[in-house]
Amino acid sequence: MWDDCYEGKSLLSPESTSKLCLSITHVFQNWLKSLPEEIIPTILIRLPIKSLIRFTSVCKSWMSTIKDPSFIRTHLTHTLTLNDQNATHLILLHNYGFEEDSYSLHYDNNEVSQYCNIEFPIGLKNRMKNSCFRVVGTCDGLVLLADDLGNEAYNFVIWNPSIRKYVILPKPSVRFSTHGDYEANIGLGYDAIGNDYKLVRVTSLVDQPDHYPRTLVQYYSLATGSWGMLRLLPPCLVNSSRVHVLVNGALHWLAICWTDDHQIKYLVMAFDVGGQSFREIMLPESLQLDELLEFRLGVSGDRKSIGLFVRCKSETNCFLDIWVMKEYCVEKSWTKLMILTPQGPKRSLPKALCFRRSGEVVLILEDDRELVSLEIVSKQFKNLGISAGQVCFVDSYEESLLLLDRKDAISY
Amino acid sequence: MKKISVRTSDGQEFELEENLAMESATIKTSLDAFSRDDIILLPNVNSWEMVKIIEFFTKVQELETKFGVKFMEKKEGRFLEAFQAEFDKDLSDDNLYCLLWTVDYLGIEVLLENLCHLMAERTKNKTVESCRNLFGVQHDYTPEEEAEIREDYSWAFEGPEIEE
């Protein structure tokens, strides 16, 4: 166009002048047209996390938008809605074995294809008393890590692997040195009333004069960064299964109760994180209690209720029962979905890990520790191509920006 | 169906079907205030933008027929893919930016959502510098401040997907 204007080094022709004017007007108009402030978050909310982190350096106003707690909350809600609509969900896998300690995210699809590898914060390794941190659970993109096996280990970390930030919790007030021997169970949940994430720790002290254990409930609030004690008595003692289930805003653990005639009763104890209250959920009535039984809780496939895995491996009896409570808190709705018996030439009985969204059950095969997915209706086993180490954790995960606005969170 | 006439900044006139014109909150306000027989002047809208907007509504009607769903109710998902494929081509980053401004000015909610999504797709793999250029944002960090962010989050600045 510039060539047009300088035809044979003579003056601008009328045609070229008007073209030039139009072009300048266009540029001027574009410069004036700066997007209104309100639109920016609408665009940002649709960006992936890595881009958002990078764009905090675009300008100060973008930084404050992205770090704003309500933006973080809206971004999470948007991610969850989108995942549900597109049926793209993620699974977190932690595998610890002789030669590896790996964390990774996978798609919750047929192939369980890898989404990405996760780098574990090196700084944490130096603090460990045990050989690895165990993943206790996840909530809205936050991962609760615990290095708490043994008497002097009280390392709790809340970690967001998607933004590579973590918070090391201060030591809890209930410890072996202060309270004697106890059983403890922990879990991380969202308090919708206080808009806060809470680590709830239920400790059942065993060294009591009347031989009946006393239970203390502590909680760590992410918002205040400190521990508190709840003046609540849970109805029962926790069972040291170390597995909890987070569903419907409540943390669930297996617990033991003593009936009036001194019989032991197993049940599920549910703690509503927002309402700070306990309730009891009965186990299936037909369940025969036995010392040789191993129980494990899980979230149901539809993520609205709980499931139960009951495993028995003895000389006389060998089975894995898979139950689900079809209607949450309706005890009559407990349904036995399947009974698994020893499989294969070695007569090995798998262990159940969790339900997938598809309703399939993830199992660890006893001998070679391979992970398989069991389809309940067709009874088909599908090898997932993943070997479980000594410690193996599998659960749902969703990415979020939580902890980005935490000043004391450590980046790595 | 009644037709509404509009005139863009460069003097071109367009005839819109009434129900489509009413999707623009700005045009709707004008119609409520003035007679429907008058031409509505849109000095902030360019003719190429108007062409694109009409193209969008035509496409919506096509997709509604194809999928049998009211597009206005469904904002994300499969519909978005079909929309994106058609709308995305021949639209430069700068043009998309201008169109976004215009659609926001006209108050066409449903198209705005889709353009925001498109804009996010275009932006996500950009470097910080090209993002600033696209949005016309003032660089207000000191070199030290910017270096600190880059150091804290160095992983977010690296990767094969980031465009040069």
Side-chain angles (χ1 to χ4, degrees), chain A residues 30 33-36 39 46-47 50-51 53-60 63 85 162-165, chain B residues 49 76 97-98 101-102 104 113 117 120 123-124 126 128 132 137 140-141 153 155-156 158 161-162:
Chain A
N30 285 0
K33 275 183 172 185
S34 159
L35 283 182
I39 301 276
R46 290 167 161 83
L47 289 175
K50 186 175 173 182
S51 312
I53 300 290
R54 184 166 70 251
F55 294 156
T56 55
S57 66
V58 163
C59 66
K60 290 182 180 176
M63 164 75 92
Q85 277 174 348
S162 305
I163 64 169
R164 298 207 198 182
K165 273 182 119 81
Chain B
E49 291 164 339
E76 311 267 8
Y97 184 88
C98 287
W101 190 99
T102 301
D104 175 60
E113 287 252 0
H117 181 93
T123 313
K124 70 184 184 190
K126 286 201 185 304
V128 174
R132 276 191 203 122
V137 165
D140 57 359
Y141 279 117
Y153 300 109
W155 56 272
E158 299 152 11
E161 80 281 3
I162 300 175

Side-chain angles (χ1 to χ4, degrees), chain A residues 10 36 109 131 280 282 291 301 324-325 341 378 388 399:
Chain A
S10 56
N109 59 14
S131 35
E280 289 178 14
M282 294 300 143
E291 272 166 18
V324 80
M325 188 180 228
T341 46
S378 65
E399 294 175 296

Side-chain angles (χ1 to χ4, degrees), chain B residues 77-135:
Chain B
R78 257 167 276 140
F79 233 130
L80 210 55
E81 283 164 31
F83 163 84
Q84 217 175 304
E86 276 299 315
F87 221 70
D88 211 13
K89 47 190 183 181
D90 308 329
L91 206 57
S92 72
D93 287 354
D94 285 329
N95 281 349
L96 178 59
Y97 184 88
C98 287
L99 188 58
L100 193 56
W101 190 99
T102 301
V103 170
D104 175 60
Y105 164 74
L106 287 175
I108 308 176
E109 278 299 322
V110 58
L111 179 50
L112 189 64
E113 287 252 0
N114 285 293
L115 289 180
C116 282
H117 181 93
L118 263 185
M119 196 64 171
E121 285 298 304
R122 294 278 184 104
T123 313
K124 70 184 184 190
N125 290 331
K126 286 201 185 304
T127 60
V128 174
E129 293 76 21
S130 51
C131 188
R132 276 191 203 122
N133 285 339
L134 177 56
F135 286 86

